[in-house]
Structures are given as C-alpha cells and as structure tokens.
Amino acid sequence: MEPSFLQLTDSVWVFPCHPDPQKLQPNVGIIISGSDTVLVDGGNSPRHARRILDALDELNAPPVRYVIYTHSHFDHFFGAQLFSVPAIAHELCRQRVQEMAAKPWSFSYIEDEIKDSPERAIGLRNIARVMDEWRGFRIIVPSVTFTAGLQLYLNGGLLLEIEHVGGQHSPDSSVVRVPEQGVMFVADAYYPPTADYRQPGDTMDYDLIARLMQDETIQQVVDGHSATPLSRDTLLALLDKRGDGG
Ligand SMILES: [Zn+2]
C-alpha cells in the first residue's frame, strides 16, 4: 500500500491534501522530534482528522503535543478535537476561532446563516459539505497565543519558529518554519482571498512570497492546497513570471 504521508526531511512529513479540491482537505504538517509530534493544522473535520490519526499510527509517531493553527478558516482546524491537545495560534486567530466556537453549529444553523448573509454562502456550504454530523462536535479554541511570533522547542531539541505574516487571504495567517530542516509551512497565507471575498483581479500575494523567500535557509515550502511541496526554485520562478502578468 502507498504510504498516506509524504516525508520531506528527517523530522518533517506532510499528510497531503485531498486531490479533489471539493473535499477541502488541506495539507497537514507533521513534525516529529524526540518524543513529541506537532501538527501544523488540525484537519477540516473529524473525518479528516481520523485519516491523519491513521497516518500517525502508520508512522509510529510519538504522541501529538500541540496543533498549530495557521489561520482561522474552518478547513484548517475543524478536526482538531480528535487530537485532544492544546492548540497554538496568533491572537487574532484565537479571537476568530472563539467567535466560531460560540455558534450553535448544525446543518439548520448553516441554512439560516446563508439566508441571513447570502454573501457568505460559498464558505458556509463548504462547511456543510465536509461535515458528516454535528453530534459531539467541538471547536478547540487555542490556549497558547502569540502576537508577532513564537519559538517552540520540541522534546528532541528541534526548533519551530511560528511567525505572524497576515496578508490578503486572512489577516491572522502565520507561517511555521523548521529552520534546521529548511522547511516552511505557509498554509494559505499567499493565496487570494476566499471565494466569498474575492474581487476580480485578485492574484496570489507575490509581495508576501518574495518576503518569505528572503529567508535563504528555506528550501521546501508546503502551502495549504498544492499537491506537492514547492521548491525554493519553483517559487522564485513564480516571482520571475509575475512581470508577464502571471
Ligand atoms: Zn484559508
């Protein structure tokens, strides 16, 4: 059987995004050092998180200690309850997740919300599509927060650097670097705004990509919804093409 995860370096794996974009299952980072596993994002639903747990079993990964939320879009954290650990996020992300946690989530609540705010229909329907049921569902509100950034040392000594970058996709976006391994998780930070908020002419956030690439130690970048990690060269080529209207 094909392994369900992708190994990037000695300590870094990815549980890859679902090939069908309709499933909205983003890439989830798995970082292991000593007796600690840290996840970058927590899956879009309990169903997605169960698949991630199976992959962790397959990997013989040590227990998960933290889930880091890259931003407050549901597809990055609605599965987090399955890991039963504290979540780490930017302060604004925590506020937004807390607001979402206060809602009476159900399929009929979503229908009512769409009637009240039709401009949010695409995002709300996405949630309804990937959730099997709401019984027992719980949103994990981050209990460890930061404003500019946070350094997290894993049990085996590996350093993770979390940095708030904001941007047009979501102002609470953060990236996670594993400097020693040349890997950076950026989730959706450089993407255009989500469908409900997108304007004609919106593009990738090339300025942000350029800023992120200034860190020359980074060789592999994992974003939220690309099928494979992107090499430094791929991203630099993207910046070069920008002048051609790309
Ligand atoms: Zn997003």
Side-chain angles (χ1 to χ4, degrees), residues 71 73 75-76 169-170 188 191 194 225:
H71 62 302
H73 292 158
D75 52 323
H76 297 262
H169 180 77
S170 188
D188 304 356
Y191 289 170
T194 53
H225 300 271

Side-chain angles (χ1 to χ4, degrees), residues 144-165:
V144 180
T145 67
F146 57 90
T147 48
L150 179 77
Q151 313 223 67
L152 182 66
Y153 288 89
L154 275 59
N155 170 277
L158 190 70
L159 168 67
L160 308 188
E161 291 177 349
I162 314 173
E163 187 198 349
H164 175 237
V165 296

Side-chain angles (χ1 to χ4, degrees), residues 30-48:
I30 302 169
I31 302 159
I32 300 176
S33 173
S35 57
D36 286 348
T37 297
V38 171
L39 299 181
V40 181
D41 284 331
N44 75 355
S45 60
R47 187 198 335 185
H48 187 198

Side-chain angles (χ1 to χ4, degrees), residues 17-84:
C17 62
H18 200 287
D20 175 1
Q22 288 290 308
K23 302 253 189 219
L24 275 171
Q25 292 183 358
N27 287 310
V28 171
I30 302 169
I31 302 159
I32 300 176
S33 173
S35 57
D36 286 348
T37 297
V38 171
L39 299 181
V40 181
D41 284 331
N44 75 355
S45 60
R47 187 198 335 185
H48 187 198
R50 238 166 264 129
R51 296 184 55 221
I52 298 163
L53 279 174
D54 289 345
L56 294 173
D57 267 358
E58 210 181 311
L59 255 176
N60 270 320
V64 176
R65 301 288 183 205
Y66 295 105
V67 178
I68 300 168
Y69 294 177
T70 56
H71 62 302
S72 59
H73 292 158
F74 86 94
D75 52 323
H76 297 262
F77 70 90
F78 263 32
Q81 74 182 93
L82 264 77
F83 304 105
S84 311

Side-chain angles (χ1 to χ4, degrees), residues 131-186:
M131 286 293 291
D132 297 325
E133 60 164 352
W134 294 99
R135 200 161 39 94
F137 173 72
R138 202 158 60 87
I139 286 178
I140 304 299
V141 178
S143 53
V144 180
T145 67
F146 57 90
T147 48
L150 179 77
Q151 313 223 67
L152 182 66
Y153 288 89
L154 275 59
N155 170 277
L158 190 70
L159 168 67
L160 308 188
E161 291 177 349
I162 314 173
E163 187 198 349
H164 175 237
V165 296
Q168 60 178 7
H169 180 77
S170 188
D172 58 6
S173 283
S174 297
V175 301
V176 180
R177 289 189 187 83
V178 194
E180 217 178 280
Q181 311 255 309
V183 179
M184 177 165 55
F185 292 93
V186 302

